[in-house]
Amino acid sequence: KYSCKVSNEAGFEDKSQEATITVVMVPVPPTIDGDRGHPKPQEVKLGEKVLFKVKAKGSDLRYQWKKVINNKDPENIKGATKAIYTIEKTIADDDQVKFWCVISNDKGKVESHPAKLTLLFNVEFDVGEDVSGSVPKDSYKTRNEKVKLPDKNTLTRKGYELKEWKDGNGNKYETGYNYTMESKSVIFSAVWEK
């Protein structure tokens, strides 16, 4: 409660009646804080942690993260009801998934822009022992990215010739082949013949 006391130099003094001030919060519909408020596309290695964030304004905000896989119907992500959505350890099925957030309150709702998650998959080469030449380095690639397998003239091994490449599933590939990455890591082993 508040009151006002008034006085002057002549000694006059008076006090107002007490008044109560009530602050009423007017609900504000949610809005996303410009472009920087939307979640950003992410590119991480398979198995790594990833965060998606949304920044919104409004009162009594509720959050619900959603995802869509292969342009199918969107689905709510169970338990993803905060401004930040975390995937602790990405799996192959997370690749190319779009994530976004619906922010709502009693005055309305707004949806963020979707943000795509792109995973990087490990490509390893096992060339064997005593090999010289341009030995390929292990690297990370995205799905559908091309990986050129070294040809016969790239690697040498005394007394042997590079016949082909074999992946972990036993699939065989010609030397110089342009392999298209799938949503999984791959190890290519050199097959040598005398």
Side-chain angles (χ1 to χ4, degrees):
K1 296 189 177 202
Y2 295 89
S3 61
C4 182
K5 186 176 181 181
V6 179
S7 61
N8 65 17
E9 294 174 3
F12 174 79
E13 195 173 282
D14 197 6
K15 183 178 176 186
S16 71
Q17 292 180 354
E18 287 187 347
T20 302
I21 297 175
T22 305
V23 177
V24 178
M25 296 296 290
V26 178
V28 177
T31 58
I32 294 179
D33 193 13
D35 283 341
R36 67 183 184 181
H38 292 276
K40 305 290 182 262
Q42 301 287 333
E43 187 174 277
V44 298
K45 295 174 186 172
L46 176 66
E48 288 187 338
K49 179 178 181 176
V50 67
L51 302 170
F52 291 96
K53 301 176 188 178
V54 67
K55 188 173 180 184
K57 296 177 182 176
S59 53
D60 300 320
L61 297 178
R62 296 182 297 272
Y63 300 88
Q64 178 59 64
W65 285 90
K66 295 180 170 278
K67 68 180 178 179
V68 65
I69 304 169
N70 297 326
N71 296 319
K72 294 183 181 172
D73 290 334
E75 57 186 70
N76 287 343
I77 302 170
K78 187 177 179 181
T81 56
K82 296 184 178 175
I84 297 174
Y85 172 57
T86 304
I87 300 173
E88 290 296 332
K89 185 176 181 182
T90 54
I91 60 172
D93 287 345
D94 294 326
D95 186 42
Q96 305 301 309
V97 173
K98 292 178 184 172
F99 297 90
W100 72 97
C101 191
V102 176
I103 304 104
S104 63
N105 64 13
D106 292 339
K107 286 293 187 178
K109 72 176 184 176
V110 64
E111 292 189 19
S112 72
H113 298 283
K116 184 162 65 168
L117 174 58
T118 301
L119 293 182
L120 298 168
F121 300 96
N122 192 21
V123 180
E124 294 182 45
F125 289 92
D126 178 7
V127 296
E129 296 179 10
D130 301 322
V131 175
S132 59
S134 298
V135 177
K137 296 184 188 237
D138 297 346
S139 61
Y140 287 89
K141 304 287 182 186
T142 60
R143 184 178 73 172
N144 294 326
E145 193 170 350
K146 298 287 185 185
V147 177
K148 184 169 170 93
L149 303 181
D151 61 31
K152 293 179 181 184
N153 301 321
T154 307
L155 299 172
T156 57
R157 183 176 176 194
K158 189 173 182 178
Y160 292 87
E161 183 178 301
L162 180 59
K163 178 183 175 189
E164 61 194 6
W165 292 94
K166 189 166 62 170
D167 68 17
N169 293 325
N171 298 314
K172 297 177 181 180
Y173 305 94
E174 296 176 3
T175 62
Y177 180 76
N178 273 320
Y179 176 81
T180 303
M181 285 297 293
E182 298 175 18
S183 293
K184 61 182 180 179
S185 295
V186 63
I187 299 173
F188 293 107
S189 299
V191 178
W192 299 90
E193 69 178 1
K194 286 191 175 194

